Amino acid sequence: MTQHILLTGGTGLIGRQLVKKFQGAYQITVLSRDPSRAQRLLGSEINYLTLDDLSSLEDVDVVINLAGEPIADKRWTDSQKQRICHSRWDITQKLVDLIKAAKNPPHTFISGSAIGVYGRQGDTVVTETFTDFHDEFSREVCQKWEDIAFQANEFCRVCILRTGVVLSEEGGALAKMLMPFRLGLGGPIGTGKQFMAWIHIEDMLNGIAFLIDSRSAQGVYNLTSPNPNTNHFFSLALARRLERPCIFKVPAFVLKTLMGESSDLVLHGQKVVPEKLLTEGFTFHYPELKDALKALDL
């Protein structure tokens, strides 16, 4: 019998690609604030619901929860911080409450998070067992997001995706980097020494599929390449991929002026590695940055 997946965040970068990957293999329902827009983006062969329409998870086998206001698209005003937080926390709480209420709950709940939960960590190697988190906004958002999701632990298997920078030609952080590099104006940000933990979109999708299929998998997982790189290394690799120079630097004060507090996301970083995925047998198609960039249609 075909399994039924309920997906939130289906129109986002990862969600759109998940729908393509899983269509035909699973029955898919996308939860969206605007089902008509979602249908235009994703097609008419899947089901659509609003959060208000969702009253039960009795016939759902897997919930994949990726919904959330983009964290780096706008300055972090107090009101924007509230939107970032509650766009994640509220829908996750609703899903958890429905899992708890179900007589036949989903067997798996996969819920989003980000490596920002660790806060800035310099060049310290960060695995899933790391506990010395740095207290900042990204940590606050992700920690409560995870804590809410883990309320479902007594009722189904819970896997948390601590996601790094997803490399895709379809959008996301890489798309924002491309224009200055294409114009020959790209280069490292700040000192360039901060680490960027990244993952190719194909490995991201395969990682989620791996967690669905591996019924012993549970807890937090770093969804990042085994080989994080500094921002300076990343900038050089991207410039080579585009056959452009890499001679300009973006001073930290410029970024702080443009982005405010949210500039912390790119001026600081984490050297995150996916220890649990590797230990449990997942194989990355693109563990090295050069190969990951080469595989993208840039």
Side-chain angles (χ1 to χ4, degrees):
M1 185 176 177
T2 302
Q3 291 196 83
H4 183 189
I5 290 179
L6 176 74
L7 173 65
T8 77
T11 58
L13 173 64
I14 300 169
R16 294 194 308 270
Q17 299 303 315
L18 271 181
V19 169
K20 289 181 183 178
K21 181 177 180 67
F22 288 160
Q23 206 164 2
Y26 295 92
Q27 177 188 348
I28 301 172
T29 297
V30 168
L31 201 66
S32 174
R33 288 174 297 180
D34 187 347
S36 60
R37 174 180 175 271
Q39 184 170 339
R40 289 195 300 273
L41 288 170
L42 302 174
S44 58
E45 296 179 5
I46 57 179
N47 305 313
Y48 298 93
L49 289 174
T50 66
L51 187 60
D52 290 339
D53 293 331
L54 186 66
S55 59
S56 171
L57 294 175
E58 294 292 346
D59 65 341
V60 174
D61 300 290
V62 179
V63 176
I64 304 176
N65 176 37
L66 304 177
E69 173 85 5
I71 197 166
D73 280 7
K74 298 178 182 177
R75 290 178 72 92
W76 286 350
T77 62
D78 288 345
S79 60
Q80 180 62 12
K81 282 185 174 182
Q82 287 296 306
R83 279 191 290 272
I84 289 169
C85 291
H86 287 284
S87 65
R88 289 161 172 77
W89 299 347
D90 295 354
I91 194 169
T92 304
Q93 188 65 65
K94 171 75 179 282
L95 293 170
V96 167
D97 290 344
L98 289 173
I99 289 171
K100 290 180 177 180
K103 293 180 180 178
N104 182 34
H107 61 70
T108 304
F109 181 34
I110 294 178
S111 193
S113 185
I115 58 173
V117 71
Y118 298 113
R120 62 194 73 178
Q121 294 298 337
D123 59 1
T124 300
V125 176
V126 178
T127 70
E128 290 89 349
T129 59
F130 187 85
T131 57
D132 189 16
F133 297 168
H134 185 273
D135 190 18
E136 53 190 310
F137 178 62
S138 61
R139 151 90 171 142
E140 174 192 345
V141 175
C142 293
Q143 187 60 68
K144 185 167 180 179
W145 196 9
E146 294 182 9
D147 289 344
I148 294 170
F150 273 129
Q151 294 173 13
N153 226 3
E154 296 179 29
F155 304 87
C156 69
R157 186 168 60 93
V158 177
C159 296
I160 303 293
L161 311 176
R162 289 179 175 170
T163 306
V165 175
V166 179
L167 301 185
S168 168
E169 62 262 28
E170 299 292 330
L174 183 60
K176 297 175 184 178
M177 302 177 202
L178 287 177
M179 184 56 71
F181 276 90
R182 283 174 173 153
L183 294 173
L185 302 174
I189 295 172
T191 66
K193 295 178 181 179
Q194 68 275 28
F195 272 86
M196 291 179 61
W198 55 270
I199 186 169
H200 189 281
I201 183 65
E202 184 177 328
D203 284 328
M204 183 73 205
L205 303 179
N206 289 341
I208 293 173
F210 177 84
L211 295 177
I212 292 173
D213 293 338
S214 302
R215 295 301 178 91
S216 61
Q218 59 182 342
V220 298
Y221 287 83
N222 291 334
L223 269 291
T224 62
S225 155
N227 300 293
N229 304 107
T230 64
N231 177 262
H232 182 262
F233 185 98
F234 188 97
S235 299
L236 287 172
L238 181 57
R240 287 194 199 100
R241 171 67 179 83
L242 296 172
E243 299 181 346
R244 294 292 187 272
C246 184
I247 56 177
F248 291 92
K249 286 190 174 183
V250 182
F253 79 88
V254 172
L255 212 62
K256 288 179 180 177
T257 300
L258 292 172
M259 298 176 64
E261 185 185 351
S262 64
S263 64
D264 288 349
L265 292 172
V266 288
L267 291 174
H268 306 283
Q270 308 89 3
K271 192 177 183 180
V272 177
V273 294
E275 184 176 71
K276 279 183 71 176
L277 277 177
L278 293 171
T279 299
E280 294 176 16
F282 179 73
T283 300
F284 284 83
H285 285 184
Y286 302 104
E288 300 289 347
L289 180 60
K290 179 182 177 182
D291 296 328
L293 292 174
K294 184 178 179 181
L296 296 174
D297 183 16
L298 304 180

